[in-house]
Amino acid sequence: MTELLTKASGSGSANEREKRNLDTAYRAACECIVLLKNDEILPLEAGKTALYGAGALRTIKGGTGSGEVNERHSVSIYEGLKNRGFEITTKPWLFAYEKKYRKGEEEFKRETRKKLLKHPGSMMENLLASYPGTAADPVTDRDIKRSDTDTCIYVLSRQAGEGRDRRALPGDLFVTEEEKEAIRVCAESYKKFVLIINCGSQIDLSFMDDMEGIGAVLFICQLGTQGGNAAADVLLGKVSPSGKLADTWAKAYSDIPFSDEFSYLNGNLNDEFYKEGIYVGYRYFDSFSIDPRYPFGYGLSYTDFEINAGEVRAEGSLVSVRVQVKNIGDTYAGKEVVQLYVSAPAGELDKEYQSLAAFAKTGKLLPGEMEEFTLSFDMADIGNFRERDASYILEPGDYILRIGNSSRNTRSCGVISVGTEIILSRHHHICQEWQVFEELKAPARQAEDFAEGEADGRQMNETAEEVTRIQMPEDAFRTITYTYQTPEICKDARVREFIKKLSVSDMVEIVVGIGMFGGETRFTLPGSVGNTTSKFWDMGLANVALCDGPAGLRIQKRSAVTKEGKVKMIDAALSVFNMMPGLVKKTVMGDPHKDKVIYQYTTAFPVSGALAQSFNTELLYEVGKAVYEEMKEYGCTFWLAPAVNIHRNPLCGRNFEYYSEDPFLTGEMAAAITRGVQQEEGYYVTVKHFACNNQEDNRNRVSSNVSERALREIYLKGFQRAVRAGAKGIMTSYNRLNGVYTPNSYDLCTMVLRNEWGFDGVVMTDWFSTNKGLGDNALAMKAGNDLIMPGGNYFKKEILKGLKDGRIQVNDIRRCCANVVKAIFDSQIQKEYLDSDFELF
């Protein structure tokens, strides 16, 4: 038998890397928390405190499915408060809930086992399932009297995850009557009442409209392993909250455009029509004068800041604004986020009121302290796509610059005037619509509406005439005309020489993974979700491991190596294994008492939806760097993250994995993570899910029907910025895009990625997305999808069948094979294998 190679640790104690990364996770969590409301009751003092709610002991650190992380331990709100000196006086209530939760969880496991035995084919659905939790008990007069305090915290929690969208029902988007009553009782009974929202996306807060006594609202999202400590420090004022909302929170779900047509709500799960077009999030609320509950970019602090715009300059197409920020409070230090928006002039194309063009976060400013910095953006990046001639353009007129700290709190600071139409780039059409539908258009606006911005209550108080005006010269831009052709086969001499030795069947082995739960590997990373083949190890090609993300590196934290050399999990890496009958568990699980135990403890960072709220690209780089260190320690080559799909609707089950409703913020966050992970050659991000994977119900078959303009301006921008940052991996999505499965889309995988963006890495499928009846494996090769994951014999046969019937050519396979081989040759595992630097079992 071939000996296994691994980099797993032989010790279960925390090493220095783990301690460093816990600190990074803590600092990130602190900056992700958004203070939504504060009637001067925060910060609190550590003392007697009543604590209620399902999320108090069972704080949700991240969503379910592939986005989970198997960390050593996560700190709950209860534990974090205790760590910081709070005396929790409602332990009887909390422990009664814990008992109720465990009973419900055991019943859930029993019912799931029955389903698995009756319907083994539902395995994948159950892989993604998790116990939904138990409704919290009422808060009674007895509980309040026993709590012996005037301070109360209620933690309102929700869970969501891969494979299913959230529901517009009580217990999910809406609070239940029981929760509402418990919150009402607490708000009336305690002098200081704080509501903490622990959810990967929004919860409808309309119940607060007729409820008094809620003194503060804190949105912690899902903060990973250090969430409880970070929340406690914000509550105490040791850290002043500096998070800003990465999404607009509507007053009512019905305020969101076409909200009743999302996913399952209209009964059509085969077609999703993106009728709102470019009007996603604040673009809609600002353009249609809909008052949100909380606007995009909003978040309170324990201090106040003064933001002043200074010199506005233009050098070529680059526009810059000098900004001065001062902490004008007298007690607390804090950080502020400055946001720069641009309002484009009215013209031929329908336009949103404004769009985010730049942002920056200050350092920690003491009372009276000031910081200056420059915000800049390229005018070429804010052009609009005109479908009639497939061109990005800047229309003539005034581009109003707006500076502030949320989309609804800005003032004009400059005007960039464009005298004539500028054609920025010429393209071929992509992903053409296959069904006709009417797209939303904004109300007609005059140029003065954009300049003044006061009629609908926005705090935009300076007119364009009172600020710096700059005429943009026409020669500041160079029109790019893209050419479209099938990319050449990788020119790397090592790769070409290696491929010469391969038969067609050999190449197919390389472009297809070896399976999710099976297949022999020479290098083994326990808990990796996929591997490339080991069949060519003796020819000089290592196999590499691919691991889930994006809240951290998802692998097994403890594994057992049997006498026969097999690696088995000890702790269930996937929730379904907890549901298995005893005999099955005995077969797939290892025994830590008789087998050799290896350890792989990783860090659960705040989910992407939380990280975006930091508005801190330097912090995101540090998170990426921390993930890189864990990849290096354990031997992961492809990290399946960041995920950059847009928050089109708050009910998307995977919003916690994605960053924002805004494509620019999304792209900047993803780019920072990418630079952090890929700081050393041979470690790769895999940006996903390409593209328009914005719902989870029927995700394998639904067609996302979207106009080319909305596709390019909203849904592809985040991917583009990550590719600009050097991303070496892209994962196509499950869904169809305008009727075509994304792995089979030549438009996406070649025309956009390689011809327009210059991508030179590996494109891979999402797991099983080319299974029978879904995407075509042969056409995936032709389209430029290099690696079929997780793989298996069926996929190989389909590719060879496609070659035989003429759907693809040998060069299609050769091109994809070369891209995979190049990535492996550049990987650290390949280099370490050549140096024989492995521990042998």
Side-chain angles (χ1 to χ4, degrees):
M1 177 181 171
T2 304
E3 287 186 291
L4 294 176
L5 311 175
T6 184
K7 297 181 76 177
S9 170
S11 171
S13 57
N15 60 24
E16 290 304 310
R17 184 272 309 155
E18 189 175 355
K19 294 173 184 176
R20 281 197 312 275
N21 288 4
L22 284 174
D23 178 66
T24 300
Y26 165 76
R27 289 187 291 109
C30 287
E31 294 205 25
C32 295
I33 296 172
V34 182
L35 180 61
L36 297 176
K37 177 182 178 180
N38 187 19
D39 291 341
E40 298 185 355
I41 72 163
L42 291 182
L44 301 173
E45 293 183 3
K48 290 184 177 181
T49 303
L51 180 63
Y52 303 102
L57 282 171
R58 292 278 175 171
T59 309
I60 299 172
K61 52 92 177 178
T64 64
S66 62
E68 287 188 90
V69 180
N70 302 307
E71 75 286 355
R72 187 188 293 268
H73 174 69
S74 282
V75 180
S76 68
I77 296 295
Y78 170 79
E79 186 181 352
L81 292 173
K82 285 190 64 179
N83 290 343
R84 297 310 194 250
F86 284 84
E87 180 185 347
I88 307 302
T89 60
T90 51
K91 291 179 182 178
W93 189 98
L94 294 170
F95 296 154
Y97 173 75
E98 178 66 11
K99 183 178 180 180
K100 179 180 178 182
Y101 183 97
R102 291 181 178 178
K103 182 180 179 181
E105 188 176 40
E106 286 304 314
E107 179 60 29
F108 179 77
K109 289 179 183 179
R110 285 193 293 271
E111 291 301 315
T112 303
R113 288 190 193 108
K114 291 178 184 178
K115 292 178 184 177
L116 284 169
L117 291 171
K118 289 182 179 179
H119 305 287
S122 65
M123 171 70 79
M124 183 51 64
E125 293 177 21
N126 285 284
L127 282 175
L128 306 175
S130 68
Y131 178 50
T134 300
D137 290 332
V139 176
T140 65
D141 289 340
R142 184 168 180 262
D143 294 319
I144 293 166
K145 289 177 181 177
R146 290 171 61 181
S147 67
D148 188 28
T149 180
D150 66 352
T151 302
C152 174
I153 299 169
Y154 190 98
V155 186
L156 181 64
S157 292
R158 292 290 187 271
Q159 184 58 292
E162 185 177 4
R164 185 176 186 270
D165 288 317
R166 295 177 64 197
R167 292 312 191 243
L169 295 170
D172 198 339
L173 180 65
F174 302 103
V175 297
T176 64
E177 286 300 318
E178 292 78 10
E179 288 171 328
K180 182 177 179 179
E181 179 61 16
I183 293 170
R184 184 193 63 78
V185 168
C186 291
E188 289 180 353
S189 304
Y190 293 95
K191 183 179 179 181
K192 299 178 181 179
F193 176 62
V194 181
L195 177 64
I196 292 180
I197 302 171
N198 171 213
C199 179
S201 187
Q202 303 169 37
I203 294 178
D204 184 276
L205 299 181
S206 56
F207 69 91
M208 292 172 45
D209 293 342
D210 57 359
M211 187 181 293
E212 296 182 357
I214 299 178
V217 180
L218 209 61
F219 178 51
I220 67 169
C221 195
Q222 295 170 337
L223 294 177
T225 184
Q226 290 291 294
N229 289 332
D233 283 344
V234 167
L235 289 168
L236 280 171
K238 290 183 177 180
V239 175
S240 184
S242 62
K244 304 285 186 176
L245 289 179
D247 295 322
T248 304
W249 283 39
K251 285 187 175 181
Y253 177 67
S254 58
D255 288 341
I256 297 169
F258 306 103
S259 57
D260 58 347
E261 297 183 25
F262 178 74
S263 186
Y264 71 95
L265 285 171
N266 66 351
N268 178 10
L269 284 174
N270 292 318
D271 287 288
E272 184 74 6
F273 295 97
Y274 289 45
K275 294 180 181 179
E276 70 281 357
I278 63 170
Y279 296 105
V280 178
Y282 71 89
R283 285 169 165 79
Y284 171 75
F285 283 83
D286 290 352
S287 301
F288 287 79
S289 302
I290 307 297
D291 191 23
R293 182 174 300 279
Y294 302 115
F296 173 85
Y298 170 84
L300 301 175
S301 174
Y302 292 151
T303 188
D304 294 308
F305 298 92
E306 182 180 80
I307 300 173
N308 289 305
E311 183 183 22
V312 178
R313 299 183 62 187
E315 295 183 12
S317 61
L318 191 68
V319 175
S320 62
V321 180
R322 192 67 182 164
V323 179
Q324 184 183 84
V325 183
K326 183 178 181 180
N327 182 344
I328 58 174
D330 57 10
T331 305
Y332 295 100
K335 298 181 178 183
E336 178 64 299
V337 175
V338 182
Q339 301 156 42
L340 179 63
Y341 297 84
V342 178
S343 292
E348 174 191 350
L349 299 181
D350 200 46
K351 296 186 183 74
E352 66 270 67
Y353 183 86
Q354 61 182 349
S355 61
L356 184 68
F359 63 86
K361 192 167 194 173
T362 69
K364 185 165 72 173
L365 300 179
L366 299 173
E369 193 172 4
M370 182 186 303
E371 182 177 338
E372 289 190 9
F373 52 84
T374 298
L375 291 177
S376 61
F377 68 94
D378 194 324
M379 287 287 290
D381 288 337
I382 65 166
N384 297 110
F385 187 78
R386 185 167 61 194
E387 293 185 356
R388 65 174 172 82
D389 60 354
S391 297
Y392 273 100
I393 65 170
L394 289 173
E395 293 198 273
D398 289 345
Y399 290 76
I400 313 300
L401 310 183
R402 306 187 189 282
I403 201 84
N405 63 359
S406 81
S407 67
R408 288 296 179 107
N409 185 26
T410 65
R411 63 178 182 272
S412 303
C413 64
V415 177
I416 306 297
S417 294
V418 175
T420 61
E421 177 181 287
I422 304 293
I423 297 180
L424 300 168
S425 54
R426 293 187 174 94
H427 304 251
H428 282 189
H429 289 294
I430 59 165
C431 305
Q432 290 298 282
E433 298 173 38
W434 72 310
Q435 295 195 50
V436 178
F437 62 93
E438 188 173 346
E439 204 174 47
L440 190 64
K441 303 295 181 185
R445 289 185 180 274
Q446 303 300 319
E448 56 268 22
D449 294 326
F450 286 89
E452 308 235 354
E454 295 182 74
D456 50 19
R458 297 185 189 87
Q459 296 180 38
M460 301 170 180
N461 301 317
E462 293 184 27
T463 65
E465 287 71 21
E466 297 171 330
V467 297
T468 303
R469 180 180 293 270
I470 296 175
Q471 185 70 40
M472 179 65 63
E474 292 181 40
D475 61 4
F477 303 94
R478 180 178 61 87
T479 301
I480 300 171
T481 300
Y482 289 101
T483 58
Y484 297 85
Q485 57 189 10
T486 301
E488 295 182 20
I489 294 173
C490 176
K491 294 181 179 180
D492 189 304
R494 302 169 302 160
V495 175
R496 288 187 171 237
E497 191 61 32
F498 182 81
I499 288 180
K500 284 181 183 178
K501 306 172 187 177
L502 304 177
S503 67
V504 172
S505 295
D506 289 339
M507 289 189 289
V508 171
E509 293 286 345
I510 290 172
V511 300
V512 176
I514 62 167
M516 191 170 179
F517 301 116
E520 183 178 328
T521 60
R522 286 290 297 277
F523 172 73
T524 296
L525 197 174
S528 63
V529 76
N531 288 271
T532 59
T533 182
S534 293
K535 288 187 176 181
F536 304 95
W537 189 274
D538 293 335
M539 289 177 61
L541 185 72
N543 73 279
V544 298
L546 303 88
C547 300
D548 271 329
L553 187 64
R554 187 174 191 256
I555 54 180
Q556 288 170 205
K557 56 185 177 182
R558 293 193 305 162
S559 304
V561 183
T562 67
K563 293 178 181 178
E564 296 77 22
K566 292 183 178 180
V567 180
K568 295 185 175 183
M569 70 182 77
I570 294 173
D571 308 294
L574 296 170
S575 56
V576 69
F577 291 109
N578 286 320
M579 318 298 178
M580 292 287 191
L583 181 62
V584 178
K585 288 180 70 174
K586 187 175 181 180
T587 302
V588 300
M589 306 286 278
D591 187 341
H593 302 293
K594 70 175 185 179
D595 298 326
K596 177 183 177 180
V597 179
I598 55 177
Y599 302 87
Q600 298 178 133
Y601 285 108
T602 61
T603 311
F605 296 96
V607 297
S608 298
L611 288 175
Q613 295 177 169
S614 74
F615 276 73
N616 189 336
T617 53
E618 292 180 6
L619 182 65
L620 270 284
Y621 174 86
E622 291 298 317
V623 171
K625 179 182 176 183
V627 172
Y628 147 76
E629 291 178 347
E630 295 180 4
M631 293 172 68
K632 186 170 185 174
E633 183 173 333
Y634 297 123
C636 171
T637 297
F638 283 95
W639 184 50
L640 307 182
V644 300
N645 297 102
I646 294 297
H647 292 176
R648 177 174 172 252
N649 185 291
L651 294 182
C652 175
R654 296 183 86 169
N655 274 355
F656 71 95
E657 287 192 57
Y658 308 149
Y659 291 103
S660 172
E661 68 187 26
D662 181 71
F664 176 74
L665 177 61
T666 292
E668 288 297 282
M669 297 292 106
I673 287 279
T674 294
R675 288 189 287 267
V677 170
Q678 293 188 174
Q679 60 186 260
E680 181 180 352
E681 185 181 56
Y683 298 98
Y684 312 128
V685 298
T686 309
V687 190
K688 62 184 186 182
H689 308 90
F690 194 58
C692 293
N693 187 173
N694 302 107
Q695 75 176 62
E696 286 297 293
D697 280 22
N698 197 38
R699 62 180 180 170
N700 293 98
R701 289 181 169 81
V702 67
S703 178
S704 298
N705 302 316
V706 56
S707 70
E708 185 175 4
R709 182 183 175 192
L711 177 64
R712 286 184 177 274
E713 290 191 19
I714 303 296
Y715 298 100
L716 296 186
K717 285 288 188 181
F719 292 96
Q720 184 180 21
R721 299 195 81 84
V723 169
R724 281 184 184 176
K728 292 297 183 182
I730 294 284
M731 182 193 292
T732 50
S733 53
Y734 285 115
N735 55 282
R736 295 176 293 155
L737 176 54
N738 290 335
V740 178
Y741 278 107
T742 62
N744 299 155
S745 176
Y746 185 85
D747 289 5
L748 285 179
C749 300
T750 296
M751 290 177 65
V752 171
L753 262 180
R754 299 198 188 273
N755 293 159
E756 294 187 12
W757 298 350
F759 178 72
D760 65 351
V762 171
V763 182
M764 69 183 72
T765 67
D766 205 340
W767 270 226
F768 302 106
S769 67
T770 53
N771 226 339
K772 190 173 182 179
L774 301 176
D776 185 303
N777 288 279
L779 293 182
M781 297 284 103
K782 189 176 187 67
N785 215 115
D786 305 307
L787 185 59
I788 307 296
M789 293 302 297
N793 289 330
Y794 164 77
F795 305 94
K796 298 172 191 174
K797 291 177 182 177
E798 286 293 295
I799 293 171
L800 291 172
K801 182 180 177 183
L803 184 63
K804 185 176 181 180
D805 63 27
R807 277 176 293 154
I808 57 171
Q809 306 299 316
V810 172
N811 256 7
D812 295 321
I813 302 172
R814 185 176 288 115
R815 185 179 304 105
C816 295
C817 180
N819 290 334
V820 175
V821 171
K822 173 68 163 59
I824 295 174
F825 275 176
D826 290 342
S827 72
Q828 288 299 311
I829 288 299
Q830 174 80 12
K831 296 169 185 176
E832 291 184 32
Y833 154 63
L834 293 174
D835 294 336
S836 301
D837 186 18
F838 281 110
E839 173 190 350
L840 295 177
F841 285 140

